[in-house]
Amino acid sequence: MFSRRDFLINTALGGAASLIAPNTLWSATRPKKDKLGVALVGLGYYSTDLLAPALQLTKNCQLVGIVTGTPSKAEAWKKKYNLADKNIYNYQNFDQIANNPDIDIVYVVLPPSMHREFVVRAAKAGKQVFCEKPMAPSVADCQAMIKACADNKVKLAIGYRCQHDPNTQAFQKFAKESTFGKVRMVTCGAGYFDARTTHWKQNKALGGGVMGDMGVYALQGARLATGEEPISVTAQFHTTRPDIYKEVEETATFQLEFPSGALAACHTSFGINMNYLQANCEKGWFKMEPFSSYTGNKGSSPQGPINFPLENQQARQLDEDAEAIMKGTALLAPGEEGLHDIRVVEAVYKSVAAGGKLIKI
Ligand code: NAD
C-alpha cells in the first residue's frame, strides 16, 4: 500500500521536485488511505452488474458514493452498499462533490455523449477520473476531456478492462517481441445480438451506433495484436433491422493498414454474435476466442494454450488504476488511449460517408 514513507522515498530517489508526477503530489497532500473512495456516475447495467460487485473485491479502492438521476436507485444502492447520505449526489448537485474528502475517484458510466460533461465536471471538482469506453463521440470531446484533467492535475483512465487481463497481455507480448515474426494480418470480430429497440445504443444523439460501442473492441484487438497505430481505413456499414437502426449503424466492417504494412479486417455488430481475434505472422500465428469477454478470455499459439486465470477483470482494472493514482505512476489506459480509438472511429464514419473511400488517419 502506498504510504507517506513511500512518497518520501520516491521523492528522495527522484532527486528533484520536477521529476515528481503531479499525481504523486496529489496523493501526498491528502490524508493516507488504504483504499481510495470511488463514486459511480450512472447506475445502469454496467455499474449495477459489473462495477459495483467488482468494487466489493478491490484492495486499493472501494465504492463510497453514487451519482444518479433516479431517487429510487439512490435508496436501493444506499441500503445495498451501506452508503452515507452525504456521498449520494444527483446530476444537478454533483459539483458539490469537490467538498467531499471521502470521494477520490469519479467513475463515469453514462451513455457516451454524456462522458465529456461529467469527466470535465469531475476534473474541475479536483477528483481523479475513470471513464467508460467509448471515451466520447468525437476527437474534440476526447481532447477537451484530456485537457480538463491535465489542467486540474488529475488522472484520466479509460475503462479498457481487457488491457488489464493477462490473456490480452500475452498476445500483446507476441506482437512486441515478434515471437512469430512480424504480425502481417489480424482478423477480429466483436459483436452480440442486442434485442433492445430504443436504448441509447440505437440513438445517435446519445452516442449510439455499434462502431463506438463494440467497434472499439475490434479496433483495440487490431491495435494491440499488431502493437501499431493504423495509418488508413476503409469502412462499410450494414443493417438487417432498418426499423430499429434508423439513426445509427447496426453492423460495421472496417479494414486498417498499419505503418509496417500489417493489415486488419475488423467486424462489429449489434446483430451478430462474435468474439474472436486471429493474428497471422511471418512465421506463425496466434488466436483468441473469446478475446474480449469479462471472463474466460483464452487462445493458443504454436507455443501452446493462452489461458491465464483472472479472478475478476473489473477488480483488476480498478485496483491497477487506483494504484497508479496512489503511486503517481502511469496508467495502463489513459485518456490518450481512448483518443487513439476515437480518431479511428471518426475516420471510419468519414470513410462510410464517402462511399467506403480510403481515409488517412
Ligand atoms: P445503461 O443504459 O444500462 O446505463 C446508462 C445509465 O445512464 C443509466 O443508469 C441511465 O439512467 C443513465 N442516464 C442518465 N442520463 C441518461 C440519458 N439521457 N439517456 C440514457 N441514460 C441516461 O448503459 P450501460 O450498458 O451501463 O453503459 C454505460 C457506459 O458503460 C457506456 O459508455 C458503455 O459503453 C459502457 N460499458 C462498458 C462495458 C465494458 O465492458 N467496459 C460494458 C457495458 C457498458
Side-chain angles (χ1 to χ4, degrees), residues 235-315:
Q236 307 79 35
F237 289 165
H238 313 268
T239 181
T240 54
R241 293 179 289 169
D243 47 323
I244 298 168
Y245 289 90
K246 293 191 267 284
E247 301 180 1
V248 297
E249 68 287 354
E250 179 187 20
T251 296
T253 56
F254 55 101
Q255 303 79 38
L256 303 168
E257 188 183 353
F258 294 88
S260 69
L263 301 170
C266 299
H267 314 286
T268 184
S269 181
F270 283 145
I272 306 165
N273 188 283
M274 49 186 164
N275 192 339
Y276 67 91
L277 180 149
Q278 167 138 354
N280 290 89
C281 314
E282 289 169 318
K283 292 175 283 183
W285 52 270
F286 51 91
K287 57 186 174 187
M288 305 288 299
E289 187 163 14
F291 84 105
S292 59
S293 290
Y294 299 146
T295 58
N297 289 325
K298 62 181 182 353
S300 61
S301 79
Q303 289 184 346
I306 303 165
N307 195 2
F308 292 96
L310 177 58
E311 193 186 335
N312 184 294
Q313 199 183 56
Q314 284 81 7

Side-chain angles (χ1 to χ4, degrees), residues 41-47 50 68 70 73 91 107-112 114-115 132-134 159-161 196 199-201 206 212-213 217 294 313-314 317:
V41 187
L43 308 179
Y45 156 71
Y46 196 55
S47 284
L50 281 305
T68 176
T70 313
K73 283 189 193 169
Y91 300 129
Y107 195 158
V108 178
V109 200
L110 291 162
M114 300 174 75
H115 290 182
E132 257 318 310
K133 51 56 59 181
Y160 285 125
R161 55 185 171 73
R196 294 171 292 193
H199 190 248
W200 60 259
K201 296 198 185 199
L206 287 170
D213 191 76
Y217 289 105
Y294 299 146
Q313 199 183 56
Q314 284 81 7
Q317 169 204 327

Side-chain angles (χ1 to χ4, degrees), residues 145-197:
M145 292 154 77
I146 291 169
K147 183 173 185 308
C149 291
D151 287 351
N152 290 285
K153 297 188 169 34
V154 295
K155 284 190 190 275
L156 171 58
I158 307 302
Y160 285 125
R161 55 185 171 73
C162 293
Q163 293 204 18
H164 299 264
D165 187 318
N167 295 291
T168 305
Q169 292 166 358
F171 75 74
Q172 284 185 268
K173 196 159 173 259
F174 291 148
K176 200 170 169 208
E177 297 179 355
S178 296
T179 312
F180 307 109
K182 284 186 186 157
V183 176
R184 307 306 301 160
M185 168 66 85
V186 177
T187 317
C188 194
Y192 69 98
F193 185 86
D194 197 319
R196 294 171 292 193
T197 56

